[in-house]
Amino acid sequence: MTRIATLLVDDEPLAIRSLQQVLRADDDIDVVGVCTNGREAVRAVEQHEPQLVFLDIHMPALGGLEVVRDIASHHAPAIVFVTAFDQHAVEAFSVNALDYVLKPFCDERLLASVDRAKKQIRRGDLGDLSSRLLRLVDATTVAPEKHYLQRVLVHEPHRVRVVTTAEIEWIVSAKNYVEIHLARESFSYRQTMETMAASLDPRAFIRVHRSTIVAIDRIRAVVSEGARGKAVILHDGTRLKVSRAHVDRLMESLSTWASTAGPSQAQW
Amino acid sequence: MIIQSHWYDSGVEGRVVLGQGRTVGRAWTERVGTPQDTRASSRSSGTRTQRHRSACYCHRLGMVRPEPRRLSLAKIIAIDLGVFSLLNFFFGTTTYLLVSKTDPAVRWSDSVTDYLPLWALTAVLTPLIFVVTRRHRIGPGRGWQPALRHLALMSLVWIPLFTLMWMVKDLYGPQPFPGVAQSIGNHWAFALSDAQWYVWIALAAHAYYGAREAVAEAREAAELRVANAELAGRLSQVELQALKAQLQPHFLFNTHHAIAGLIRSGERSTALDLLANLSDLLRYALETKEHAVVPLRRELDFARKYLAIQQARFADRLDVQWSVSPDCREVEVPTLLLQPLVENAVHHGVSSEREHNHVHVDARLDDDVLEVRIVNSTVEGTPDRAGFGIGMRNVHARLARLYGQDYTLELEVLGPEQMQLQIRLPMTPNTR
């Protein structure tokens, strides 16, 4: 009986070592390669055409699911996904009858996965695997998230300051540049208002006026100024005018923000 | 469900305060009805104005605050008639008392009805003055427009109408009508003196709306203070939750898995070290209280353990250097200050495919100012770790609370692949 060509993919050396140590107990497994990132993994799959791949989900640059996307159409090895904490992906694995193990795993759990994979390979019933993998890719591909501005570089006389967009409180336009206001200071920034508005995450920032953008979570109150329209009051008391054209959008953003706001999850 | 007009007029007059679904101050929202109700009603009649929609937003936001209750039409009419009937009675009676001394034939009822046209017309025109005053109050910083409007109203409406009123009275009076020109000539001066009533009423209107606005503003300010205080409290809770969440799940499980790897390859003592470090981190994070300050050495210790774990996980891909001058070790700093900053520094390196990354932590005292610098390698285009921006803001918020204006926290690009984060803090935080 030929041994099963196996590829190990994980960006942490100790995790690779775990796989190696456990798989050593099974003589049928022939580790043909070890990869520490997704790009290497794609190359190694093309090169070695392994029958079995242990694939980490969370890796720099190219994650496990992207690796699947890149290889599934022309090569479909049996894949055992290895993950620490990816609820969304784990659901997709179950739905598509794909095998996965959670970190940290015990020897028995991993060997059970190996047995299952071996049976599939021996029976040759990898037939619909490729389609199941492609379904997985569909299920886990989040609509390509637009990359919003995360930080702006502010050029000062002797250095370049970095300001994360989360520190920005409000922005006001001035001719052909904008003034960025932080909690305690403000900068001029060479950028048009339009470009600025387009590059900021609309879930975090809202335009309240042709010449004003405000960080939604800094707004403490929306007040009426009688016949003069409305204004937003920021947490530090700053009062900014809201133009009639933007009132509806503002209220909408505020209400959705209030129901979805919360600190975002750490990724690793 | 129908919403009373002056409530959902909040689109124009009310105000909405954000409180994450909670009501600050009194619970006005009950009056607005359920969101489904309002939404259904705006759907069922698509042409209704956005007032419904804003009522709906207000409700979902949790707070609707109306302006001071507007008086109903019936009340306005009652007050208007009441006040001017009283004035009519007063002027009629005093005139009667004065005239009856010289002319005993005069009757009280004649004297009272004599004034009736004057006060009836004033009663009719008074709401107009109030309406104009509500929209255009004269006052500093309000320009000339309101004054001009009042002047125009007075000279183009009030005086002509009063002249006309006196003429009509002539027409039906006991004497024969002397002709239009003669009548105008007789009465325009009277009408001009009647303009004084315009002035008095306009003054009353100004006083009324001024007082109403002052009351509303005072209440608004007071409620904003309450809201802000509540929010500040909640915010620091959220901040702390966010800080604790930094140690969550990927880091924990991956570290466990690294320990499993060490056990499997028989590196018993390294595994135990890692386990002990991880437990220390968890203990530290769980013990952390909101306003706690700790000596810098404890923060550095935490960062050291955190970085040691990351080094164990990523082996030679991460190089860590320390330079800590001994005199700054006891300076008090907020707990969990360094963790999000060090974490992001590591993230930039190891989330790239590059083989060698470094983090350099430098802490020292510079003229009684604590200076901590974290220099790390970066990779062009590596996004910040999710939540880092929020982490940065939390750090800002906590430092601002403790040090007011006396701190700096700055990120700086040192070169194409190098970034520095610098914190400067005075030696004594305000812990109260």
Side-chain angles (χ1 to χ4, degrees):
Chain A
M1 204 174 355
T2 53
R3 298 172 74 201
I4 294 169
T6 305
L7 186 67
L8 312 182
V9 186
D10 198 308
D11 66 326
E12 299 189 29
L14 287 171
I16 292 281
R17 237 196 277 176
S18 256
L19 287 172
Q20 285 172 326
Q21 292 287 342
V22 179
L23 295 176
R24 194 171 288 171
D26 192 323
D27 288 337
D28 291 344
I29 299 293
D30 176 22
V31 176
V32 295
V34 168
C35 307
T36 57
N37 66 55
R39 260 189 269 274
E40 270 180 37
V42 173
R43 274 198 300 274
V45 168
E46 280 165 6
Q47 193 189 332
H48 301 294
E49 301 202 336
Q51 293 168 284
L52 175 60
V53 178
F54 288 90
L55 186 57
D56 184 26
I57 300 295
H58 210 273
M59 289 183 295
L62 206 63
L65 296 170
E66 281 93 60
V67 171
V68 171
R69 187 192 58 207
D70 282 8
I71 63 169
S73 54
H74 49 273
H75 184 78
I79 295 181
V80 177
F81 293 96
V82 184
T83 181
F85 191 78
D86 293 280
Q87 277 170 311
H88 182 53
V90 162
E91 270 168 40
F93 297 150
S94 314
V95 168
N96 291 292
L98 294 163
D99 205 4
Y100 64 92
V101 291
L102 296 172
K103 294 176 178 181
F105 47 76
C106 62
D107 293 12
E108 290 72 24
R109 177 67 188 83
L110 190 71
L111 289 172
S113 282
V114 172
D115 276 341
R116 257 198 298 274
K118 272 203 284 194
K119 275 183 199 137
Q120 286 183 331
I121 294 165
R122 300 283 186 234
R123 283 205 306 269
D125 64 350
L126 295 172
D128 68 333
L129 181 63
S130 163
S131 62
R132 274 186 284 147
L133 286 175
L134 288 171
R135 273 206 304 277
L136 168 78
V137 170
D138 284 344
T140 51
T141 307
V142 193
E145 192 163 340
K146 197 179 159 200
H147 268 103
Y148 294 108
L149 197 63
Q150 285 194 316
R151 23 168 84 171
V152 291
L153 298 186
V154 180
H155 295 264
E156 293 178 356
H158 298 293
R159 58 181 194 160
V160 182
R161 272 279 297 277
V162 182
V163 173
T164 60
T165 46
E167 294 171 78
I168 297 176
E169 311 248 304
W170 53 286
I171 300 171
V172 64
S173 71
K175 288 181 192 155
N176 54 346
Y177 61 94
V178 293
E179 238 171 58
I180 297 179
H181 291 257
L182 311 184
R184 303 185 302 161
E185 46 193 335
S186 61
F187 306 99
S188 297
Y189 186 57
R190 280 228 165 267
Q191 185 73 274
T192 63
M193 198 62 178
E194 296 310 317
T195 326
M196 207 68 208
S199 52
L200 288 167
D201 186 347
R203 289 164 301 183
F205 290 90
I206 176 98
R207 200 158 177 176
V208 297
H209 193 270
R210 193 163 39 82
S211 64
T212 324
I213 296 173
V214 180
I216 297 173
D217 61 348
R218 305 299 209 280
I219 298 175
R220 284 295 162 264
V222 181
V223 295
S224 156
E225 302 193 315
R228 282 170 294 171
K230 284 184 190 262
V232 289
I233 294 183
L234 307 193
H235 64 120
D236 62 351
T238 307
R239 203 180 180 102
L240 300 170
K241 200 168 157 36
V242 181
S243 71
R244 283 179 200 284
H246 293 95
V247 166
D248 271 3
R249 280 262 318 284
L250 170 70
M251 298 312 272
E252 192 137 21
S253 297
L254 286 175
S255 54
T256 52
W257 186 84
S259 56
T260 59
S264 68
Q265 242 341 293
Q267 272 307 297
W268 59 267
Chain B
M1 144 135 198
I2 305 297
I3 303 159
Q4 293 176 20
S5 67
H6 59 272
W7 289 87
Y8 62 77
D9 242 346
S10 61
V12 187
E13 289 206 337
R15 54 195 287 289
V16 179
V17 177
L18 294 190
Q20 301 193 339
R22 285 185 49 199
T23 306
V24 175
R26 279 158 287 166
W28 276 297
T29 47
E30 299 157 13
R31 306 280 301 265
V32 182
T34 65
Q36 288 81 1
D37 285 340
T38 45
R39 242 177 273 142
S41 66
S42 64
R43 213 183 302 121
S44 64
S45 59
T47 54
R48 279 194 209 172
T49 58
Q50 61 188 49
R51 291 187 299 179
H52 276 98
R53 262 187 290 152
S54 51
C56 192
Y57 297 134
C58 296
H59 184 87
R60 269 187 281 157
L61 286 169
M63 260 182 295
V64 177
R65 180 164 326 142
E67 285 284 284
R69 295 288 292 277
R70 217 189 278 179
L71 295 171
S72 67
L73 190 62
K75 269 192 189 158
I76 290 174
I77 292 175
I79 292 173
D80 192 30
L81 289 183
V83 166
F84 290 107
S85 301
L86 259 171
L87 280 171
N88 191 52
F89 171 79
F90 174 75
F91 275 82
T93 308
T94 47
T95 309
Y96 165 73
L97 291 175
L98 286 173
V99 175
S100 61
K101 278 186 184 157
T102 50
D103 179 7
V106 75
R107 285 188 307 166
W108 176 77
S109 60
D110 283 343
S111 186
V112 169
T113 46
D114 204 32
Y115 276 99
L116 206 55
L118 167 73
W119 294 117
L121 185 60
T122 312
V124 168
L125 291 180
T126 294
L128 188 64
I129 300 181
F130 270 75
V131 168
V132 170
T133 305
R134 193 164 82 85
R135 301 234 173 104
H136 312 284
R137 251 161 59 207
I138 301 172
R142 290 172 189 266
W144 285 101
Q145 276 236 351
L148 289 178
R149 272 173 212 272
H150 279 283
L151 204 63
L153 183 64
M154 188 167 82
S155 49
L156 301 180
V157 177
W158 189 271
I159 296 173
L161 278 179
F162 271 81
T163 312
L164 193 67
M165 186 270 294
W166 292 119
M167 283 165 66
V168 171
K169 195 161 171 272
D170 264 3
L171 199 58
Y172 294 103
Q175 273 87 40
F177 188 63
V180 175
Q182 181 64 43
S183 183
I184 290 177
N186 287 345
H187 294 305
W188 70 269
F190 281 109
L192 208 60
S193 90
D194 289 337
Q196 67 167 304
W197 295 111
Y198 182 100
V199 174
W200 290 118
I201 293 165
L203 276 176
H206 274 77
Y208 173 69
Y209 287 115
R212 210 170 75 146
E213 195 178 274
V215 167
E217 266 171 20
R219 198 174 62 183
E220 185 173 295
E223 275 161 8
L224 208 63
R225 268 199 303 280
V226 173
N228 279 341
E230 272 196 25
L231 213 98
R234 221 177 311 153
L235 200 68
S236 48
Q237 286 299 321
V238 171
E239 282 162 20
L240 197 70
Q241 288 304 320
L243 286 175
K244 288 186 175 176
Q246 308 270 1
L247 281 179
Q248 266 174 12
H250 268 276
F251 175 77
L252 288 181
F253 293 125
N254 278 314
T255 305
H256 279 131
H257 194 56
I259 294 169
L262 288 168
I263 294 171
R264 287 192 169 106
S265 47
E267 296 181 42
R268 189 169 164 278
S269 67
T270 318
L272 289 171
D273 285 349
L274 207 53
L275 195 56
N277 277 350
L278 182 64
S279 300
D280 286 345
L281 293 192
L282 288 176
R283 216 180 336 266
Y284 188 82
L286 292 172
E287 277 171 1
T288 291
K289 292 192 183 58
E290 187 184 327
H291 295 297
V293 287
V294 291
L296 180 67
R297 68 182 152 77
R298 290 205 62 197
E299 274 293 296
L300 290 172
D301 198 36
F302 182 90
R304 213 185 290 274
K305 282 170 178 163
Y306 179 82
L307 288 173
I309 289 175
Q310 296 291 39
Q311 273 186 296
R313 281 175 62 194
F314 295 103
D316 39 8
R317 276 166 63 197
L318 182 64
D319 176 34
V320 181
Q321 278 178 291
W322 294 87
S323 37
V324 177
S325 74
D327 54 350
C328 65
R329 293 173 49 81
E330 297 302 321
V331 176
E332 294 203 315
V333 296
T335 47
L336 288 176
L337 170 70
L338 297 183
Q339 199 273 339
L341 310 176
V342 176
E343 179 172 22
N344 197 59
V346 172
H347 169 81
H348 266 282
V350 297
S351 67
S352 73
E353 291 167 318
R354 195 172 45 195
E355 287 303 315
H356 297 288
N357 304 284
H358 69 265
V359 174
H360 183 181
V361 182
D362 177 310
R364 60 188 150 126
L365 270 183
D366 174 20
D367 254 355
D368 280 359
V369 171
L370 173 67
E371 191 177 287
V372 180
R373 278 186 293 178
I374 301 169
V375 177
N376 63 279
S377 45
T378 60
V379 177
E380 195 75 35
T382 308
D384 287 325
R385 194 184 57 67
F388 175 64
I390 293 167
M392 272 291 270
R393 210 175 73 219
N394 285 341
V395 174
H396 267 297
R398 296 180 73 209
L399 291 179
R401 202 165 303 140
L402 285 170
Y403 302 97
Q405 301 282 309
D406 302 335
Y407 77 93
T408 60
L409 168 61
E410 289 175 349
L411 266 173
E412 192 176 329
V413 175
L414 292 186
E417 298 205 319
Q418 186 142 297
M419 187 123 92
Q420 170 182 281
L421 187 139
Q422 180 184 277
I423 304 178
R424 286 171 63 85
L425 304 175
M427 284 190 61
T428 46
N430 169 22
T431 47
R432 275 160 296 281

